[in-house]
Amino acid sequence: RIGNHILAACPRWLIFVQGVASGVNVIGAPDPYEYYYWGSNLIGFKAVPLELKVANKLVLSPHVYGPGVELEPDWFTAPDFPSNMPQVWERQIGWIANDTGHAMVIGEWGGLYTSTRYPRSQVWMKALVAWMQQRDLDCGFYWSLNPNSLDTGGLLQDD
């Protein structure tokens, strides 16, 4: 209801909806207990889709984080990392645009590109960009612009 209320007041706006984190047990999900990044789990949308009066105003916006932000998933330490990541991304977010018919923009992605503490972060980012290019996902929001995000850094210098 809130999306329709916003569009009634501001009809040119888009309504961006991010996902939730892990722990959403959805009947019919491939693995209802699979690890998801904060803001990435939109699997519930399959069971209970959000419907706006103007359908083309809805943008689904999952988040995707790398090993410098989220160390928990074992796919970051798998022997076949990063070649295993496209399978994870396809399973978790690759279905969104195809199965829902809605636009998808990765709402947050990034990491410490030159980190010696998390050297897999740069490898992960390059793999994500390659996957996005293969899928024609040429839009997203790099997190973050400001330099004071401890786990991702930023695009700007701290000056």
Side-chain angles (χ1 to χ4, degrees):
R1 294 187 323 219
I2 188 84
N4 287 321
H5 182 77
I6 291 169
L7 289 174
C10 306
R12 296 184 311 175
W13 284 18
L14 297 172
I15 305 298
F16 276 66
V17 175
Q18 73 179 32
V20 295
S22 300
V24 178
N25 183 357
V26 177
I27 296 171
D31 179 357
Y33 299 103
E34 179 173 9
Y35 181 87
Y36 282 84
Y37 310 102
W38 181 89
S40 70
N41 188 344
L42 283 159
I43 207 81
F45 193 87
K46 287 184 175 185
V48 184
L50 173 64
E51 296 180 15
L52 295 177
K53 291 178 183 175
V54 183
N56 68 351
K57 294 294 185 173
L58 179 61
V59 179
L60 299 175
S61 186
H63 298 185
V64 182
Y65 300 106
V69 178
E70 296 283 341
L71 291 174
E72 185 172 332
D74 58 5
W75 54 71
F76 293 141
T77 56
D80 59 344
F81 176 85
S83 62
N84 62 332
M85 293 309 303
Q87 294 172 341
V88 173
W89 297 320
E90 285 295 332
R91 185 175 60 250
Q92 291 195 348
I93 66 173
W95 61 272
I96 293 172
N98 292 340
D99 291 5
T100 68
H102 293 290
M104 181 184 83
V105 173
I106 296 178
E108 289 183 16
W109 70 277
L112 297 167
Y113 194 77
T114 58
S115 175
T116 55
R117 184 173 175 194
Y118 302 109
R120 290 180 167 232
S121 186
Q122 183 181 112
V123 173
W124 175 87
M125 280 187 269
K126 288 180 178 181
L128 177 62
V129 169
W131 178 79
M132 290 171 66
Q133 289 172 332
Q134 288 175 338
R135 301 276 275 123
D136 289 327
L137 297 172
D138 55 358
C139 52
F141 293 97
Y142 188 88
W143 187 264
S144 74
L145 180 63
N146 53 302
N148 61 347
S149 178
L150 296 177
D151 51 8
T152 62
L155 295 176
L156 298 178
Q157 296 293 322
D158 191 14
D159 56 4

